[in-house]
Amino acid sequence: SDWCTYWTALPPPPPPPPPSLSPTPNPSTPLPSTSDCTGKACCDGVCTGVYPYGCANDGIVQGKNVYQCQPNGAGCSYVDEIGLGPSDWCTYWTALPPPPPPPPPSLSP
């Protein structure tokens, strides 16, 4: 999954350095990875601005457990669970932490 989780009930990591004034990344530089990120700063540099990226924050959209922001845009998406929203958007808040990844397959016969 390529979504970014930027808020959970756990304490967030320390704040990031101020974002670049450039609105879009250099075309030769890929967007930051969002798949394994948890905390409010995970979508900085992916979505426009800083948390909450012009979107709702911290569980105020009743009944929705996952909030996403559009990379390099001004869109917001609020869905019931990870995996339901646009796959290329950054997840900046979830009501629950994402499930742990499955264990690697066993190599024994």
Side-chain angles (χ1 to χ4, degrees):
S1 146
D2 58 353
W3 293 24
C4 171
T5 303
Y6 77 89
W7 185 91
T8 67
L10 300 176
S20 167
L21 297 178
S22 169
T24 57
N26 181 324
S28 64
T29 304
L31 287 174
S33 171
T34 61
S35 60
D36 298 318
C37 192
T38 301
K40 291 183 179 181
C42 291
C43 297
D44 287 356
V46 177
C47 296
T48 302
V50 294
Y51 175 87
Y53 315 103
C55 300
N57 63 1
D58 294 2
I60 64 172
V61 179
Q62 189 171 16
K64 301 301 178 185
N65 294 318
V66 178
Y67 296 4
Q68 295 177 287
C69 53
Q70 183 179 21
N72 297 318
C76 305
S77 175
Y78 311 102
V79 295
D80 295 327
E81 63 185 67
I82 290 177
L84 293 182
S87 64
D88 61 338
W89 287 30
C90 185
T91 299
Y92 67 91
W93 182 85
T94 63
L96 299 172
S106 173
L107 298 177
S108 62

